[in-house]
Amino acid sequence: MTTPPTIGPVEARLRTLLERGPIHFTLIDPEKSPGERAADVAQGAVDLGSHAILLGGSTGITRKGMGEAASAIRRRVAAPTIIFPEGPGSLAPEADAVLFMSLLNSRNLDLVVRAHARAAPAVRAMGLEAIPMGYLVVAPGMRVGEVGQVDAVPRDAPALAAGYALAAEMLGMRLVYLEAGSGAPAPVPPEMVREVRSAIRVPLVVGGGIRTGADARPLLDAGADVLVTGTVTEEQGLGERFRTIVEEVRRARRA
Ligand code: 1GP
């Protein structure tokens, strides 16, 4: 037998950070903010207290675009740079890790596991750290809900979300992501976050529709371990809204 799979350095670092409470990820789309522009956003976000950079978010991201953004960010930012893939074509070895995620409630088996079977050898060949994650789209789901062909979890069905999340954990996934969809009018309901959090042991990531500190606080109170924001920096840069979100996360952490 060869060496069994172990937790890689990025995941280990995130776990260490999580020992002191919740953390924040800044999602940057390398198509909208290419190369050094992605690095400008990343550096500013990390300086304000964000803990990691996710690269991804739209359709049409190329390996070249992803690689250039990841390289630029890694030159300037010590925080992990993690690919949030929209498909195998957006993988690039310049990043630190990839969220190797199954879209749990998709009707399209490609997005549940088949694309993964095609991409896994490339991930291994690139030397990218794969962090296994269950990705669950909650209504309204927005564009990822459409492209992902999901049966979105209704907002009033926290037990359904908890069942998916626990199944993901039992299948060996080490993160669960509750996604309301980028630009959603409201984030995932805090009651759903609470029920999922109490069902699982792995860290819980929550994203979609978080625009202000006031949006972030109930999610943190409900037990979210990681908050992801993307649109707020695309629309307003690293202004007041972004700052209040990161500040809420910081306040929820132990000194
Ligand atoms: C999208 O959850 C992320 O995958 C971020 O959503 O763009 O609404 O912040 P927003």
Side-chain angles (χ1 to χ4, degrees):
M1 180 173 146
T2 54
T3 315
T6 52
I7 289 171
V10 171
E11 193 176 347
R13 191 159 155 196
L14 297 178
R15 286 188 178 198
T16 301
L17 284 167
L18 286 165
E19 285 171 9
R20 291 196 171 179
I23 58 179
H24 178 268
F25 289 175
T26 302
L27 174 63
I28 300 174
D29 183 339
E31 286 296 301
K32 295 178 183 163
S33 304
E36 292 300 326
R37 271 173 54 200
D40 290 341
V41 177
Q43 187 170 18
V46 170
D47 285 349
L48 288 169
S50 190
H51 298 89
I53 304 301
L54 293 188
L55 279 177
S58 77
T59 48
I61 299 173
T62 62
R63 176 167 170 168
K64 183 166 176 284
M66 182 64 79
E68 286 172 1
S71 298
I73 293 169
R74 287 183 74 185
R75 278 196 297 274
R76 288 168 53 187
V77 172
T81 302
I82 305 167
I83 296 173
F84 183 42
E86 52 105 2
S90 57
L91 297 170
E94 291 87 349
D96 294 303
V98 56
L99 295 176
F100 200 79
M101 58 197 214
S102 172
L103 181 43
L104 301 171
N105 53 336
S106 177
R107 295 182 299 276
N108 181 347
L109 269 181
D110 271 352
L111 304 177
V112 180
V113 74
R114 284 181 180 159
H116 311 63
R118 295 193 294 272
V123 169
R124 179 59 49 85
M126 288 179 188
L128 266 176
E129 176 180 337
I131 302 175
M133 184 175 88
Y135 188 49
L136 188 62
V137 175
V138 176
M142 311 305 284
R143 182 149 170 75
V144 72
E146 290 169 25
V147 175
Q149 300 167 55
V150 301
D151 292 326
V153 175
R155 295 176 68 80
D156 61 356
L160 178 62
Y164 269 113
L166 190 53
E169 176 180 302
M170 289 178 175
L171 285 163
M173 298 170 191
R174 297 194 293 263
L175 288 177
V176 169
Y177 191 138
L178 290 181
E179 170 73 89
S182 184
V188 172
E191 310 75 56
M192 184 179 284
V193 172
R194 183 167 284 112
E195 188 150 341
V196 171
R197 180 58 279 164
S198 69
I200 61 175
R201 297 171 184 169
V202 297
L204 176 59
V205 184
V206 179
I210 303 170
R211 291 182 173 78
T212 64
D215 291 332
R217 190 179 306 175
L219 300 171
L220 294 164
D221 288 346
D225 298 291
V226 182
L227 295 189
V228 180
T229 65
T231 299
V232 71
T233 37
E234 279 170 19
E235 289 184 351
Q236 306 207 334
L238 301 165
E240 183 63 20
R241 289 187 166 200
F242 180 83
R243 286 165 199 253
T244 61
I245 294 164
V246 176
E247 175 62 16
E248 285 297 337
V249 174
R250 192 195 62 75
R251 278 159 42 132
R253 292 177 61 75
R254 290 179 291 282

